[in-house]
Amino acid sequence: MEYLDIYDEQGNFLGTEERSVVHTKGLWHKTVHCWLYDKEGNIFFQRRADRGTLYTTSSGHLSAGESVTEAFQREIKEEIGLDIDASDAIHVNVVPFQMDRIKEDGSVFRDRAFANVYVDLYEGDYKDFHMDESEVSGIVIVNAKDALELFQKEEGTLLGKEISVNNEVTEREIRLTEFLVNDGETFIEKYGDVLRKVIELTS
């Protein structure tokens, strides 16, 4: 049974609660959005196994008592299979996120999260990826400047590299529609800040 720290809308700590209750009642909690980038200004998106869309390098909830750094390292290990030291990960922002959706059983999943967005430099080899195939079906690596331009135009494609779960590398055109956005979001609102941070760090 997993427990999460819970907060009020201003981010004040209230206590802990079981994860299922958090999403039934719509209680505020913390998540981490983990982004890896390289010295060449490329950023790593995971291709989600459930929907096939591109999202953060990895992401997930902070467990009760867990720090953002600990959660960053754990999520990268669980989803991508990398052992990294995230102590030098750089904070981008905290994004309040709210969304309700109807589950297959008719119940309502209520998400109220403070998403802690961080980037960390990756200097390892693609062959070191060991992806959790239940969550990740590949890693797509694109240039941050090219991605920012694509999201600003909101149309077109960009050239990227896709790493399969078998660590095979393929160069291909990545379509705008492959990137995950929820209803009411724009691509630039969702990804602009993290792309600008990577560009700043690698320029």
Side-chain angles (χ1 to χ4, degrees):
M1 190 175 297
E2 183 180 2
Y3 284 84
L4 307 179
D5 290 333
I6 57 172
Y7 303 83
D8 63 19
E9 292 186 18
Q10 288 71 47
N12 299 306
F13 176 71
L14 298 177
T16 61
E17 186 55 87
E18 187 182 344
R19 177 171 173 169
S20 61
V21 175
V22 167
H23 286 298
T24 299
K25 294 184 176 181
L27 304 176
W28 284 93
H29 57 286
K30 290 184 179 181
T31 61
V32 61
H33 287 190
C34 316
W35 292 95
L36 298 181
Y37 69 98
D38 64 23
K39 288 182 177 178
E40 284 69 49
N42 299 310
I43 190 166
F44 298 54
F45 285 80
Q46 74 163 247
R47 188 176 294 283
R48 294 162 61 98
D50 57 349
R51 301 169 65 176
T53 49
L54 301 176
Y55 194 40
T56 57
T57 312
S58 70
S59 57
H61 295 79
L62 270 68
S63 298
E66 188 175 38
S67 70
V68 173
T69 298
E70 291 168 339
F72 191 117
Q73 293 178 176
R74 176 179 55 75
E75 289 293 341
I76 290 287
K77 176 64 174 177
E78 290 177 357
E79 297 185 8
I80 312 300
L82 295 175
D83 289 303
I84 66 168
D85 177 5
S87 61
D88 59 350
I90 296 171
H91 178 254
V92 177
N93 56 15
V94 177
V95 181
F97 177 80
Q98 298 186 58
M99 185 179 69
D100 295 339
R101 62 179 172 84
I102 307 298
K103 295 163 53 175
E104 291 184 1
D105 63 5
S107 62
V108 181
F109 180 90
R110 296 180 172 89
D111 206 359
R112 306 285 185 275
F114 296 108
N116 294 263
V117 184
Y118 279 75
V119 297
D120 198 24
L121 178 65
Y122 180 65
E123 300 182 89
D125 195 288
Y126 303 157
K127 294 179 181 178
D128 294 333
F129 295 158
H130 299 285
M131 303 172 208
D132 178 356
E133 295 182 42
S134 68
E135 295 200 47
V136 184
S137 62
I139 296 292
V140 170
I141 303 172
V142 296
N143 180 268
K145 289 182 180 178
D146 292 344
L148 185 63
E149 182 179 340
L150 177 70
F151 295 153
Q152 288 170 334
K153 292 190 303 183
E154 291 194 332
E155 62 178 2
T157 64
L158 75 166
L159 185 64
K161 293 180 180 179
E162 181 145 11
I163 319 300
S164 73
V165 293
N166 299 318
N167 298 103
E168 297 173 347
V169 182
T170 305
E171 285 198 5
R172 58 182 294 268
E173 290 287 326
I174 310 297
R175 301 184 308 277
L176 175 71
T177 53
E178 294 182 59
F179 294 90
L180 174 66
V181 288
N182 297 304
D183 291 341
E185 295 178 332
T186 67
F187 294 98
I188 201 67
E189 287 171 347
K190 195 168 188 69
Y191 302 113
D193 286 348
V194 73
L195 292 171
R196 293 186 191 97
K197 176 58 71 173
V198 170
I199 293 167
E200 172 193 328
L201 293 168
T202 56
S203 294

